[in-house]
Amino acid sequence: MANITFGGQPAQTIGELPEVGSSAPAFTLTDHELNPKKLSDFEGSKLVLNIFPSVNTGVCSASVRKFNEAAGQMNNTQVLCISKDLPFAQAQFCGAEGIDKVVMLSDYKTGQFGRDYGATMTDSPFEALLSRAVVIIDSDHQVIYTEQVPEIGQEPNYEAALNALG
């Protein structure tokens, strides 16, 4: 499990992010129309997994905005913004903010993504939500970059993540 902090206080996740060089764990998440979206649906594309607790917090919404901006300039790459927010809340946020270049996905149904990616928090006020992390997957679904953000209130290292795309 990863040792992170929430407001400076110790917090932990259920496991570790997938290792660089490993195959990305398969997943099924829910899109804004309540349809299942699987890793295999993104076959042939590089993926940026922007993982976070809730789009209704300042840092999480900032990461969605930042990756939305970057997504418009990426070739053969899709940005998946993943939280446990209800798909309706994700869609409402995107509509209000003009977010249209990322794919919002929810792990609210089973929580399996959070377990398989080691991102579910096991304690802290955000217990059971996803930690803030970035996982980059190449077009062959191999993990090429990970960042477990050490403090929930901190934004990810966008530059390092985007540079990992090559």
Side-chain angles (χ1 to χ4, degrees), residues 10 12 18 24-25 27 33 43 51 74 79 81 87 112 118-119 124 150 158 166:
Q12 296 180 332
F27 59 75
E33 294 179 339
E43 196 70 39
I51 305 162
M74 296 180 194
V79 177
C81 293
Q112 191 64 47
S124 85
Y158 301 113

Side-chain angles (χ1 to χ4, degrees), residues 4-164:
I4 57 176
T5 56
F6 178 91
Q9 298 300 310
Q12 296 180 332
T13 64
I14 199 165
E16 300 287 337
L17 296 175
E19 289 186 34
V20 171
S22 69
S23 292
F27 59 75
T28 301
L29 296 162
T30 305
D31 73 9
H32 69 282
E33 294 179 339
L34 301 179
N35 295 313
K37 291 300 260 184
K38 299 178 179 192
L39 175 62
S40 59
D41 293 334
F42 302 98
E43 196 70 39
S45 292
K46 295 177 190 174
L47 300 174
V48 175
L49 306 185
N50 176 32
I51 305 162
F52 53 89
S54 175
V55 75
N56 289 316
T57 66
V59 176
C60 298
S61 59
S63 73
V64 172
R65 284 186 207 99
K66 182 71 173 180
F67 279 119
N68 185 68
E69 181 182 304
Q73 301 166 9
M74 296 180 194
N75 293 323
N76 194 38
T77 302
Q78 295 195 50
V79 177
L80 311 183
C81 293
I82 303 167
S83 69
K84 284 194 172 182
D85 290 303
L86 290 175
F88 312 113
Q90 292 176 335
Q92 182 179 21
F93 169 80
C94 289
E97 296 283 331
I99 304 294
D100 61 356
K101 294 174 180 62
V102 299
V103 179
M104 298 294 285
L105 297 172
S106 179
D107 190 28
Y108 84 100
K109 284 187 177 181
T110 67
Q112 191 64 47
F113 173 88
R115 288 188 294 279
D116 290 348
Y117 278 74
T120 301
M121 289 185 276
T122 60
D123 54 16
S124 85
F126 280 3
E127 180 179 354
L129 295 179
L130 301 177
S131 65
R132 186 173 322 287
V134 177
V135 176
I136 309 279
I137 301 169
D138 71 13
S139 57
D140 294 321
H141 292 170
Q142 297 297 302
V143 176
I144 59 171
Y145 173 88
T146 64
E147 177 191 8
Q148 174 62 70
V149 179
E151 163 59 47
I152 293 300
Q154 176 184 330
E155 291 184 57
N157 185 338
Y158 301 113
E159 185 177 348
L162 297 173
N163 285 341

